[in-house]
Amino acid sequence: MLCIAFLIPHFSFLVSSCARMGQPDGGWYDDDPPRVLYSVPAEQATNVDAKKMTIYFNEFIKLADPTQNVIVSPPQLEMPEIKATGKKIVIELQDTLIPNTTYTVDFSDAITDNNEDNPLGNYTYTFSTGEQIDTFEVAGHVLDASNLEPVKGISVGLYADLADSAFRTKPLLRIARTDGRGRFCIRGVAPGEYRVYALQDADANYKFSQKSEMIAFSHQTYTPSAGPDTRQDTIWRDSLHIDNILTVPYTHFYPDDIVMMAFQEVQTDRYLLKTERKDPDRIGVYFSYGNAQLPIIRGLNFDADSAFILESTPKQDTLTYWLRDTLLVNKDTLEMSMEYLMTDTLGQLVTQIDTLELVAKTPYAKRLKAQQKEIEEWTKEQEKRKKREEPYDSIFPVKPLVMKYEVAQSMDPNRSVFIESPTPLASLDTAAIHLYSKIDTLWYRAPFEFHRCDSMLRRYEIVVDWHPDTEYSLEIDSAAFIDIYGLASKPYKEGIKVKSLDAYATLQMQLVGLSEKQVVAQLLDGSDKVLQESHMESDGAAPFYYILPGTYYMRAFVDRNGNGVWDTGNYDADLQPEDVYYYPREIVAKEKFDMTLQWNVTERKRTQQKPGKIVKQKPDQEKKRKQNRNAERARQLGIEYVKRAAY
């Protein structure tokens, strides 16, 4: 709701006695925003041919970061010069003026007075190079398609050209920029039919030219219109009390409820990001995008045949070449050629051959010196122990292979145990892995499955059908794992207690309102992180088990291609991102609590779905008007303070 102060240009204070006369110490705060006195050319002037405009104010003003906060429409390919000096703002456009066009310079809240930072608030300067001013507006929101977060600072624009190619070949016709709520309002729109696009413009050409740019598009067309309407504006006596609610007539512009779902395309252009040898035993190769055809390595000062063990990420965009031979590990510089596929300027994959010189970050001599120092210190310590007739070692101990064990002492029944090796393994002995369960007072062998995690060279999983409220013991013998450099693991033992079913809640989420059958529901924590997933069953149910007490949230996405993961869109393929929805309320889970909830997924608009507590992009914190400070001060002193219009 807008305060009446924004609607009537001149105001005065009415301060009357309620408890006692007098003013707060130091007097009242200045709570008046700056006022526009006049401008050259005049506001809403027509037939303008000058590219320089000056706006004069009643007091000294400040203009916050005009490059980011001030939007000129139609968009300017050459950045205009906008400066605040004293009591005026000077605008100098660099582009040639377009005939018969309405220009708007949207300052939003960037203009404040010099002393108290009172914002002028949503000020737009308008003029036309033709005979008339176009006054229609087009408004709505831009949300991140993947998580319904408001997208702040993205440009939203119109095309009168309804061809799909316009977004690629022409600059946007008129633009606005979203605020902290993801809200945009494009002003000065002429009558006609338009398409709306959003663009995070990386190269300032106002068209979609780079895959890295976040975009939103729709084939829907809009015809702007306007009509009379009323709204209720609240006048606050102070921060706690309402003085009056007024019904105010205004012109309502349509459409004002457009929702654009923004996304970034998959970055399929392939190029080499970097190569490095941070550790002497491995070489890292990083690409912008993976490819099934892996690079061909040829050694120039070593034999590359069978020299490496390759570790790859699932997308094959990050490759780690582990050196098998310690002689190569100790070699400070490795020279090699690498043949790989890269994207050329035409977007085609071509063969590229690079010559690489990879130097170990720590030279072998330095590593050897550190090892010798360690041996010397150990020898001195053993000699001291021998003199004191204490137990001592006569042989320097071999370093063990330090495995990483991910074992929860308090285990959820649906969790696994994970083991990760710091280096690739040469061998592992599953017979050296033992799991025991305690029944009454006796320990018995418990069955389990052991396997390597998919697409992960050094990570392994132990899958167990855990029995609730039962104790287990995981025991691993020494040398169960031996890496490619001959290092062996130490023995390991960990007690595990599986929680009782009474510690959990279960949730049956019944999804309605969707025609699609392939839907994935996700249980989220307070940071929007996925804790559990459930594929919607044929009856619309998505079950979740073993939920610990706490507050949770829920989202779902339409798994259009059935691959189990959310997929982004593609403009050239006319492919929108997969639809995402949020359950609009918190889900409170309690021990021994079975919940069944019904969720009409499409009942609410996307802008009203995501619970505010997990929205990361919060609305812009409006600068506190000094009127609030005056009102609070007056309330504390028992003085009535009402800001009213002067008639």
Side-chain angles (χ1 to χ4, degrees):
M1 298 292 183
L2 292 176
C3 176
I4 187 66
F6 288 100
L7 303 175
I8 302 176
H10 302 290
F11 303 91
S12 64
F13 293 114
L14 174 61
V15 183
S16 62
S17 174
C18 286
R20 63 182 179 87
M21 296 296 293
Q23 291 186 354
D25 293 341
W28 299 99
Y29 293 101
D30 171 20
D31 67 351
D32 289 322
R35 284 190 294 111
V36 176
L37 297 177
Y38 64 94
S39 59
V40 181
E43 169 70 20
Q44 297 198 340
T46 56
N47 297 313
V48 173
D49 58 6
K51 295 197 290 184
K52 181 177 180 180
M53 300 89 196
T54 306
I55 306 170
Y56 295 88
F57 297 85
N58 67 326
E59 59 180 313
F60 289 97
I61 53 96
K62 294 187 292 187
L63 181 60
D65 194 1
T67 303
Q68 294 297 319
N69 296 325
V70 182
I71 304 295
V72 179
S73 195
Q76 305 294 290
L77 295 179
E78 190 171 350
M79 186 66 66
E81 294 183 8
I82 304 176
K83 298 178 181 178
T85 306
K87 297 182 180 181
K88 66 182 180 181
I89 292 177
V90 179
I91 306 162
E92 291 192 58
L93 303 181
Q94 307 300 313
D95 288 1
T96 302
L97 294 177
I98 304 171
N100 300 314
T101 300
T102 295
Y103 279 75
T104 56
V105 184
D106 187 351
F107 290 92
S108 187
D109 286 331
I111 301 173
T112 61
D113 64 23
N114 194 56
N115 295 324
E116 296 288 350
D117 282 338
N118 294 305
L120 178 55
N122 295 323
Y123 173 62
T124 300
Y125 171 73
T126 306
F127 67 91
S128 175
T129 57
E131 296 287 343
Q132 64 183 26
I133 296 288
D134 297 319
T135 59
F136 286 136
E137 298 178 2
V138 174
H141 291 82
V142 180
L143 304 179
D144 188 320
S146 66
N147 56 17
L148 302 194
E149 282 284 319
V151 180
K152 180 182 178 180
I154 192 170
S155 297
V156 186
L158 304 177
Y159 281 112
D161 185 343
L162 305 183
D164 293 343
S165 59
F167 195 30
R168 286 285 198 184
T169 58
K170 298 180 179 180
L172 291 161
L173 188 63
R174 302 199 69 80
I175 64 166
R177 194 173 290 152
T178 55
D179 61 17
R181 300 173 300 155
R183 179 78 178 172
F184 67 89
C185 181
I186 306 170
R187 297 183 171 90
V189 181
E193 186 178 11
Y194 300 93
R195 278 189 180 178
V196 181
Y197 295 81
L199 172 67
Q200 207 166 51
D201 196 8
D203 48 9
N205 64 358
Y206 300 100
K207 55 188 176 183
F208 180 35
S209 56
Q210 297 185 24
K211 285 185 177 181
S212 61
E213 294 173 327
M214 177 177 269
I215 63 168
F217 71 97
S218 170
H219 293 305
Q220 184 173 351
T221 60
Y222 299 92
T223 302
S225 62
D229 204 344
T230 60
R231 63 170 169 249
Q232 290 186 327
D233 284 357
T234 303
I235 299 179
W236 292 86
R237 185 180 304 274
D238 52 50
S239 62
L240 299 177
H241 303 95
I242 293 174
D243 182 64
N244 200 0
I245 298 178
L246 303 178
T247 299
V248 181
Y250 76 104
T251 300
H252 195 152
F253 292 98
Y254 304 94
D256 65 348
D257 57 354
I258 298 170
V259 179
M260 305 291 291
M261 307 308 297
F263 64 92
Q264 280 184 295
E265 295 186 353
V266 174
Q267 306 304 300
T268 55
D269 288 348
R270 178 176 166 85
Y271 50 89
L272 182 64
L273 295 173
K274 65 175 180 177
T275 57
E276 64 181 11
R277 193 182 172 199
K278 290 174 66 175
D279 297 290
D281 56 359
R282 74 202 76 167
I283 296 169
V285 179
Y286 304 87
F287 289 97
S288 60
Y289 191 73
N291 191 280
Q293 184 174 326
L294 297 171
I296 299 172
I297 305 293
R298 297 180 179 90
L300 301 180
N301 66 343
F302 68 99
D303 184 2
D305 293 340
S306 303
F308 303 110
I309 292 177
L310 176 61
E311 180 179 5
S312 172
T313 57
K315 293 183 178 180
Q316 296 184 313
D317 53 359
T318 299
L319 308 174
T320 303
Y321 291 85
W322 292 88
L323 297 167
R324 295 176 182 269
D325 194 338
T326 53
L327 291 176
L328 291 181
V329 174
N330 295 335
K331 194 176 181 66
D332 286 341
T333 303
L334 296 177
E335 298 174 1
M336 64 186 197
S337 70
M338 184 170 68
E339 180 180 325
Y340 61 94
L341 294 177
M342 65 168 285
T343 305
D344 65 8
T345 55
L346 300 177
Q348 303 297 316
L349 285 174
V350 297
T351 300
Q352 170 78 15
I353 300 177
D354 290 344
T355 299
L356 305 173
E357 187 177 88
L358 296 156
V359 180
K361 189 175 181 179
T362 306
Y364 174 65
K366 188 174 182 179
R367 285 181 275 136
L368 185 61
K369 186 177 180 180
Q371 186 180 26
Q372 290 172 341
K373 184 178 180 181
E374 187 179 348
I375 293 173
E376 289 173 2
E377 290 176 351
W378 177 86
T379 302
K380 290 178 182 177
E381 177 60 27
Q382 299 308 310
E383 289 175 352
K384 291 178 181 178
R385 294 174 67 89
K386 184 178 179 181
K387 289 179 180 178
R388 294 195 298 264
E389 296 184 352
E390 296 176 358
Y392 66 94
D393 295 322
S394 58
I395 301 175
F396 186 74
V398 178
K399 272 189 174 181
L401 178 65
V402 181
M403 304 294 289
K404 179 182 178 182
Y405 297 95
E406 297 177 22
V407 184
Q409 294 180 345
S410 181
M411 181 68 71
D412 296 321
N414 59 337
R415 302 300 180 195
S416 296
V417 170
F418 292 95
I419 304 173
E420 190 169 309
S421 173
T423 50
L425 297 181
S427 66
L428 62 88
D429 184 6
T430 55
I433 302 173
H434 315 282
L435 183 68
Y436 302 98
S437 63
K438 187 177 183 181
I439 302 175
D440 295 329
T441 58
L442 301 177
W443 291 92
Y444 297 88
R445 285 189 176 275
F448 64 88
E449 294 180 7
F450 181 90
H451 60 82
R452 197 177 78 182
C453 296
D454 291 341
S455 304
M456 303 185 77
L457 178 66
R458 298 176 289 111
R459 188 171 173 83
Y460 301 86
E461 182 180 16
I462 298 176
V463 181
V464 184
D465 183 13
W466 304 107
H467 290 189
D469 203 18
T470 302
E471 290 184 48
Y472 289 81
S473 178
L474 176 64
E475 301 176 14
I476 301 176
D477 300 337
S478 60
F481 307 102
I482 300 175
D483 76 352
I484 57 175
Y485 306 120
L487 299 182
S489 60
K490 297 168 64 176
Y492 176 84
K493 183 177 181 179
E494 184 65 72
I496 301 169
K497 177 63 184 294
V498 181
K499 296 174 186 174
S500 168
L501 293 180
D502 289 344
Y504 301 97
T506 61
L507 168 63
Q508 189 88 350
M509 182 63 79
Q510 195 72 33
L511 289 80
V512 298
L514 285 173
S515 58
E516 294 87 351
K517 300 302 180 185
Q518 295 187 130
V519 178
V520 177
Q522 298 174 320
L523 188 70
L524 313 171
D525 65 10
S527 64
D528 217 13
K529 178 183 175 183
V530 177
L531 302 176
Q532 286 192 45
E533 286 189 343
S534 177
H535 290 254
M536 186 182 74
E537 298 171 351
S538 58
D539 62 353
F544 294 88
Y545 304 102
Y546 307 119
I547 304 173
L548 290 169
T551 300
Y552 300 91
Y553 302 87
M554 179 77 65
R555 75 168 168 234
F557 67 89
V558 176
D559 189 15
R560 204 163 46 209
N561 57 8
N563 66 352
V565 297
W566 179 83
D567 290 295
T568 189
N570 184 285
Y571 184 74
D572 293 331
D574 194 20
L575 189 67
Q576 291 286 348
E578 292 179 335
D579 289 327
V580 171
Y581 304 92
Y582 271 77
Y583 184 66
R585 290 175 286 278
E586 294 179 345
I587 299 170
V588 179
K590 300 178 181 179
E591 291 182 352
K592 299 186 289 185
F593 195 59
D594 294 334
M595 298 175 287
T596 300
L597 300 175
Q598 188 171 51
W599 176 18
N600 188 334
V601 177
T602 56
E603 183 179 20
R604 291 195 182 193
K605 295 179 180 179
R606 302 284 187 93
T607 53
Q608 299 172 356
Q609 289 185 8
K610 190 167 187 177
K613 287 186 178 180
I614 60 172
V615 173
K616 296 182 178 66
Q617 175 56 58
K618 301 298 183 183
D620 295 329
Q621 294 298 317
E622 297 180 7
K623 297 175 181 178
K624 289 185 178 179
R625 295 192 53 76
K626 305 315 181 234
Q627 173 186 337
N628 292 342
R629 298 197 298 183
N630 285 331
E632 284 299 312
R633 206 162 187 180
R635 184 172 67 87
Q636 293 168 5
L637 295 174
I639 300 173
E640 182 181 7
Y641 174 91
V642 182
K643 190 168 185 178
R644 300 187 186 278
Y647 296 96

